[in-house]
Each structure stands twice: as C-alpha cells, then as structure tokens.
C-alpha cells in the first residue's frame, strides 16, 4: 500500500446535510455515508445505488473521504487508492435518518 500524497487537502469540515445530499434530493436509499474532507459534501458509499461519494470525487477531484455514518474513523484517498490517517474524526451533525 502506497502513502497518500494528498493529506494536505484534509480540512476540518461541517457536514452539509443529514444524509446523502443527492439521495435526499432524489428519494434514493443509502447504505453508508462518506464525508468529503475538503468541502463537507455528504455522499453515499459504493454499496449504495447512487455511489454519490465517488461521483462527487469525479466531479470535484476532492481526493479524501471519511467513513462518516456510522462513524468509522478512517479516511480514503481516491487518487492514491490508499487508507489515510485522519487528524480528527468529524462529529455527526444530529440524528441521521436510516435508509438501509
């Protein structure tokens, strides 16, 4: 496993929504949530129908996500395809509805 070269993009962010932004807009269900550690976008994981966290990366090139719901405490860099040690874990912004 190679080291991540994008750790400088990690920010302390505020999650923008209480669930996957796109799924909330379209009525889709999600399995787990991922948080963009550059801008605070909340998207669903690749096990979800929408795969919105990965789609967000392809649209923005923001490389690092956090396993957000349930809180998992890990980071992932899409570009380097490796786990990332996060400097902190983002607290959840209130109750997140369950859709799985």
């Amino acid at each position: 496993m190679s080291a991540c070269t994008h750790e400088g993009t990690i920010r302390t962010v505020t999650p923008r929504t209480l669930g996957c932004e796109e799924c909330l807009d379209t009525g889709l269900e999600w399995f787990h949530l991922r948080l963009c550690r550059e801008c605070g976008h909340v998207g669903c994981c690749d096990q979800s129908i929408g795969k919105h966290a990965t789609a967000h990366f392809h649209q923005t090139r923001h490389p690092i996500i956090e396993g957000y719901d349930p809180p998992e405490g890990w980071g992932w860099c899409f570009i380097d395809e490796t786990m990332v040690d996060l400097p902190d874990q983002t607290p959840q912004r209130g109750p997140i509805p369950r859709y799985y």
Side-chain angles (χ1 to χ4, degrees):
M1 185 166 30
S2 63
C4 174
T5 59
H6 302 91
E7 291 178 342
T9 67
I10 297 172
R11 307 280 179 263
T12 298
V13 296
T14 299
R16 298 190 317 206
T17 56
L18 296 178
C20 174
E21 292 183 30
E22 292 83 1
C23 288
L24 289 169
D25 285 344
T26 62
L28 289 175
E29 297 178 351
W30 62 79
F31 188 62
H32 292 296
L33 298 175
R34 307 295 181 234
L35 177 67
C36 175
R37 285 302 300 262
E38 191 163 337
C39 73
H41 172 270
V42 180
C44 56
C45 70
D46 284 354
Q47 292 173 296
S48 303
I49 294 169
K51 301 180 183 183
H52 292 118
T54 298
H56 176 75
F57 161 69
H58 289 298
Q59 292 170 349
T60 64
R61 301 302 288 172
H62 295 168
I64 298 181
I65 57 170
E66 175 180 347
Y68 182 59
D69 183 59
E72 297 175 36
W74 54 261
W76 174 258
C77 178
F78 283 108
I79 296 172
D80 293 321
E81 297 183 343
T82 190
M83 299 299 285
V84 175
D85 289 327
L86 298 172
D88 56 8
Q89 190 170 350
T90 305
Q92 290 188 331
R93 249 191 67 210
I96 295 175
R98 297 286 178 205
Y99 283 105
Y100 53 89

